[in-house]
């Protein structure tokens, strides 16, 4: 199988949320993705770029253009994007025009800093998906590999479903 | 993408090791795979079969035949096998003769019950790989998707490398 | 040493905060104290009463009177109260009038549901303090046993200091 | 309350056990006590001395004499000893002759590196006990503060009981 290097772009979202006692609130903090990869004994060549720290509801068109431009100009063909779950599918649509890249959007419903989090599993899915799947845009959540253009988040149920 | 159901076979290995104070030793315990899937909010259709609880150095030819026969007769085309890492590639060779099945062997270098474990990430990789990859036998360890017939464990380095 | 039973009153606070993805916010959830005690293999006789689920900034005089009355009428002489950290010392003052009870107020700066939390350690301190200390009101935070009437929270520094 | 500094002596035992995949066995590894204290936001003045790394069944009379001598010559009056659970009470007897010191022996039935461990809670108990209790030798396990000379480990039940 390919050992082609993977570009990991972090954009924020629940996966990187931290609790700040002094504020009595959560905020998106320094990304824990590198820590998760180290703990998971990842030896695959990876380049991590912390692009922004935003709740996905705050992402603008300009933010999405920046994500697309970063991928287009990157030497890597395999891309994992950590992203808030609420507008993940909007970003997928913007990235669909990119060719020759296998792009996987991934996030978490519970912050990676929690004991009971889906973050490590989801990141593992994203790493395997970008190595195994055809070029295109994919979303890996709730144990499934979804076509990034044919999935929606059921916010009330707290899960992604094929659309 | 496919939402075809996944068969998960557990066979033992480090991933399921537990520490027993009364014995002052580790032993393979009740599988924690279901717990990891629940914590990871997996909604994908899954059937878990606890086939054996063995260190992979103890697996016999008969054990490997049982694994192959279980897969051959299963209705699922997508299969994840949790397995000790030391002889994972031996089992891969036995399973290579099966056709029409996408089989992923996966384990952990540190027990899933540890805070610092690669288990959840690796299982996530296996779930995505069996949905995204072509039929055949794959191994997902150390952040890479390996061809199951072209990989070896470097025991001294504690990692898998393409062979 | 005494194996006198311990009454644990939960009142809310950061220690029991959970993250709800559907709301994109933290809220005080079902208390995890029982889970922490089980995981910590506590065999000491304990009675847990979930009295309220409040951020400590929301606690009213009536709430504090209820806490005091619950302790006064309880058969146990040893009492642990889980409590938000911001007004823990206010509650300590109200409880100072109770006699013959060893009362320990305890909370956490990071939710117990986080991997990196001070909750289990702090609860352990509270359990030992109510068994070892003289009757009175104590606060166990940041590794120290504080006289409940001579301590304050340095909110900016995120820690308790003797006052 | 006292903010007298605490001496922490680590001697090994289950609390510091690590799993080594290359050996397929557990061994006592670098002590995680400092990590647990940091995660628990301990600000209390502490000095940690890693005295030995032994299973407590391997501790010799000379080892126990060394522990006693280290405490006797230390400037701190408050002492926490992390120790394997099987012979903790033997060490307690040796230390009983020391005067003017509040000594707490503590360990864990499950390694601190496990998600489900009693280590942090037990260490918290030890920290509070040495600050709150009278001089003497104490053991803090299973949620109870035990007189170090009147307790035994029920190995079959996996817990300490007053004797």
């Amino acid at each position: 199988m390919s050992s082609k290097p993977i570009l990991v772009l972090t954009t924020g979202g629940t996966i990187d949320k931290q609790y700040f006692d002094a504020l009595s609130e959560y905020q998106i903090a320094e990304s824990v993705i590198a820590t998760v990869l180290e703990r998971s004994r990842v030896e695959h060549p990876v380049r991590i770029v912390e692009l922004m720290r935003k709740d996905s509801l705050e992402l603008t068109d300009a933010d999405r253009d920046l994500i697309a431009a970063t991928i287009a100009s990157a030497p890597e063909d395999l891309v994992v994007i950590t992203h808030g779950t609420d507008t993940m599918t909007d970003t997928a649509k913007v990235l669909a025009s990119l060719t020759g890249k296998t792009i996987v959007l991934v996030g978490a419903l519970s912050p990676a800093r929690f004991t009971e989090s889906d973050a490590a599993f989801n990141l593992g899915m994203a790493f395997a998906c970008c190595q195994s799947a055809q070029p295109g845009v994919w979303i890996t959540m709730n144990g499934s590999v979804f076509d990034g253009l044919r999935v929606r988040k059921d916010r009330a149920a707290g899960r992604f479903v094929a659309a």
Side-chain angles (χ1 to χ4, degrees), chain A:
Chain A
M1 201 66 209
S2 150
S3 66
K4 293 166 72 175
I6 298 173
L7 170 65
V8 178
L9 296 181
T10 75
T11 69
T14 293
I15 195 169
D16 274 330
K17 277 184 181 160
Q18 171 63 298
Y19 180 80
F20 292 94
D21 176 65
L23 305 170
S24 289
E25 65 177 29
Y26 69 85
Q27 283 190 337
I28 295 167
E30 187 183 11
S31 177
V32 295
I33 307 304
T35 303
V36 173
L37 298 186
E38 184 183 18
R39 185 189 306 154
S40 304
R41 307 202 179 196
V42 171
E43 306 278 356
H44 199 93
V46 171
R47 180 168 67 103
I48 301 179
V49 175
E50 192 169 332
L51 207 56
M52 51 197 82
R53 291 187 189 181
K54 290 198 172 185
D55 189 297
S56 76
L57 293 171
E58 301 165 2
L59 287 175
T60 63
D61 288 350
D63 290 328
R64 293 198 165 83
D65 289 344
L66 174 59
I67 295 171
T70 302
I71 295 171
S73 69
E76 296 91 348
D77 291 334
L78 312 186
V79 183
V80 169
I81 306 172
T82 64
H83 195 289
T85 55
D86 283 325
T87 67
M88 199 178 262
T89 55
D90 297 330
T91 301
K93 289 191 190 79
V94 172
L95 302 179
S97 60
L98 296 169
T99 55
K101 306 272 186 177
T102 308
I103 300 168
V104 188
L105 287 153
V106 67
L109 298 169
S110 178
R113 290 173 171 89
F114 272 87
T115 305
E116 308 262 321
S117 171
D118 51 335
F121 187 95
N122 292 352
L123 276 171
M125 287 195 77
F127 263 64
C129 180
C130 74
Q131 294 174 66
S132 302
Q134 298 299 313
V137 183
W138 310 95
I139 286 178
T140 53
M141 293 291 296
N142 298 115
S144 294
V145 175
F146 294 104
D147 180 327
L149 302 181
R150 295 180 189 169
V151 60
R152 64 179 181 82
K153 181 179 175 188
D154 181 338
R155 194 171 161 95
R159 55 173 291 195
F160 283 74
V161 290

